[in-house]
Amino acid sequence: MSHSTVPRGRAEAKTAERDPAASDDAAGPGGGKGGHPGRLGLRIRFRRDRTLILMTLPAVLLLLVFNYVPILGNVVAFQDYDPYLSDNGFVAMLQSPWVGLDQFQRVFTDSEFWHAVQNTFVLFLLQLVLFFPVPILLALLINSVVRPRVRAVAQAIMYLPHFFSWVLVVTVFQQIFGGAGIIAQTLREHGHSGFDIMTDPGIFKYLVTAQMVWKDAGWGIIVFLAALAAVPGDLYEAAAMDGAGRRRRMWHITLPALRPVIALLLVLRVGDALTVGFEQLLLQRQAVGPDASEVLDTFVWWNGIRNQDFGYAAAAGLVKGVVGLTLVLVANKVAHLMGEQGVYKK
């Protein structure tokens, strides 16, 4: 009898005799009975993907050590934490007295905290309106360049500032827009009065946004260019044959292709609304004063590290984390209502 005419049951029995483990795993997850037909068992999937699992283990361990284990330290938000009670910080955490929600009551009744919240949201809205569209526009501009060499040079020039530290970025702006900068000196040489944008609290929020655009806008276009590269060229050719001009092709083909990416990045940006640049603002705090530069991150740092009020700073940071998580969930729900996937599926 040929192999093709062997009854199905006898063929499965022979397979089970050769590899009992494969037969158990194929029955369902973990080798149990009653699994879904065609679903691989846990052991088979582990053997198949063990190389990828081993490759991701270092990243997972780093994530656990530096992102999840420190979450346990939020317990000091409910304590009057004193690190000098013991040489071991963990032991000091166990010995510090509990104060319940007193630290949170201090946070919500502190006018300086609410002032930092106000500055944070003002900067976030400015960056959302003035910074978020810039990578999209740059990606569309670069994508319209025909010559590959010109496109590569433009991308390299736009990417370069991303690799500069904030110390260098602030220094460059100081040398250009500061009181002793190039523009101010040039105006004085021609009989005009100089200016110092770097120490003007009234326009500080616009200055911070301009620094972020110059530093990170070029790096942000990478995701959008990758999305544009996945658009089939046949769509543009068919639209051109139907008489669609460049603007109509951009409106009906390019922008719809970018819509899922825009929705995803917008959700992530909203979730990161309360983080508007710690190092950037801390470097310029003394130049403009805390009234213009104080945000939640600098507020937590100033009270926790400089004033060593660790419990109070931890409570403020915990409030920020909860609000940020809420914003992510709300923004992701809005993305679902718009028909996009967002950060995760429904």
Side-chain angles (χ1 to χ4, degrees):
M1 183 179 295
S2 64
H3 179 72
S4 60
T5 59
V6 176
R8 184 176 179 181
R10 295 169 61 184
E12 292 176 351
K14 292 182 178 181
T15 303
E17 291 176 359
R18 289 195 301 268
D19 191 0
S23 176
D24 293 340
D25 289 336
K33 296 182 180 180
H36 297 285
R39 184 173 180 180
L40 295 177
L42 182 60
R43 283 183 292 176
I44 291 181
R45 283 182 291 170
F46 178 78
R47 288 199 298 266
R48 181 193 62 187
D49 301 329
R50 62 180 179 272
T51 303
L52 296 176
I53 294 174
L54 291 175
M55 289 175 59
T56 57
L57 274 181
V60 172
L61 291 177
L62 287 174
L63 194 66
L64 289 174
V65 172
F66 293 102
N67 290 83
Y68 287 93
V69 173
I71 293 178
L72 300 176
N74 284 325
V75 70
V76 302
F78 305 92
Q79 296 177 330
D80 185 12
Y81 178 68
D82 185 0
Y84 303 106
L85 292 176
S86 174
D87 294 336
N88 189 314
F90 180 75
V91 176
M93 198 184 314
L94 296 178
Q95 296 178 352
S96 297
W98 292 87
V99 294
L101 300 177
D102 290 351
Q103 304 288 8
F104 294 93
Q105 184 178 0
R106 288 180 57 196
V107 168
F108 291 125
T109 56
D110 190 350
S111 60
E112 295 182 359
F113 170 79
W114 291 111
H115 180 71
V117 171
Q118 179 182 354
N119 285 344
T120 302
F121 276 104
V122 168
L123 286 175
F124 162 69
L125 292 176
L126 276 177
Q127 293 176 8
L128 188 65
V129 174
L130 301 179
F131 171 69
F132 187 77
V134 173
I136 303 174
L137 298 176
L138 290 177
L140 294 176
L141 179 63
I142 292 179
N143 191 63
S144 63
V145 177
V146 178
R147 296 184 179 181
R149 186 181 298 274
V150 177
R151 183 185 304 179
V153 173
Q155 290 180 13
I157 294 174
M158 293 178 184
Y159 294 165
L160 185 61
H162 173 77
F163 300 99
F164 296 162
S165 67
W166 277 115
V167 176
L168 180 57
V169 172
V170 174
T171 303
V172 169
F173 271 75
Q174 179 68 37
Q175 295 300 320
I176 297 176
F177 301 105
I182 297 175
I183 298 178
Q185 291 181 8
T186 304
L187 290 175
R188 293 190 189 99
E189 291 175 357
H190 291 81
H192 302 284
S193 60
F195 61 88
D196 189 0
I197 296 179
M198 301 297 293
T199 58
D200 190 345
I203 61 175
F204 177 71
K205 50 184 176 292
Y206 302 103
L207 175 67
V208 170
T209 305
Q211 292 171 351
M212 182 167 290
V213 170
W214 184 73
K215 185 178 188 296
D216 288 330
W219 182 259
I221 68 176
I222 293 179
V223 178
F224 297 106
L225 286 176
L228 291 175
V231 181
D234 300 341
L235 295 178
Y236 292 102
E237 296 176 1
M241 292 179 63
D242 291 339
R246 176 173 295 183
R247 292 183 180 179
R248 296 185 67 87
R249 293 198 298 269
M250 180 180 297
W251 182 260
H252 294 287
I253 298 177
T254 306
L255 290 179
L258 291 178
R259 181 177 172 179
V261 180
I262 293 174
L264 173 61
L265 294 182
L266 185 59
V267 171
L268 295 176
R269 188 71 190 93
V270 171
D272 207 26
L274 303 184
T275 303
V276 289
F278 167 73
E279 184 179 358
Q280 177 191 11
L281 297 171
L282 189 63
L283 288 170
Q284 303 175 85
R285 177 188 175 96
Q286 292 184 352
V288 296
D291 289 339
S293 63
E294 191 79 294
V295 294
L296 283 175
D297 281 342
T298 58
F299 178 82
V300 171
W301 176 85
W302 192 266
N303 285 278
I305 304 301
R306 293 295 299 270
N307 298 338
Q308 296 190 357
D309 195 351
F310 298 102
Y312 179 67
L318 192 58
V319 171
K320 173 197 167 186
V322 172
V323 174
L325 176 60
T326 304
L327 290 175
V328 168
L329 297 177
V330 172
N332 199 73
K333 183 63 177 179
V334 173
H336 290 166
L337 295 177
M338 295 174 59
E340 301 298 337
Q341 178 176 336
V343 179
Y344 54 86
K345 295 182 180 180
K346 295 182 180 179

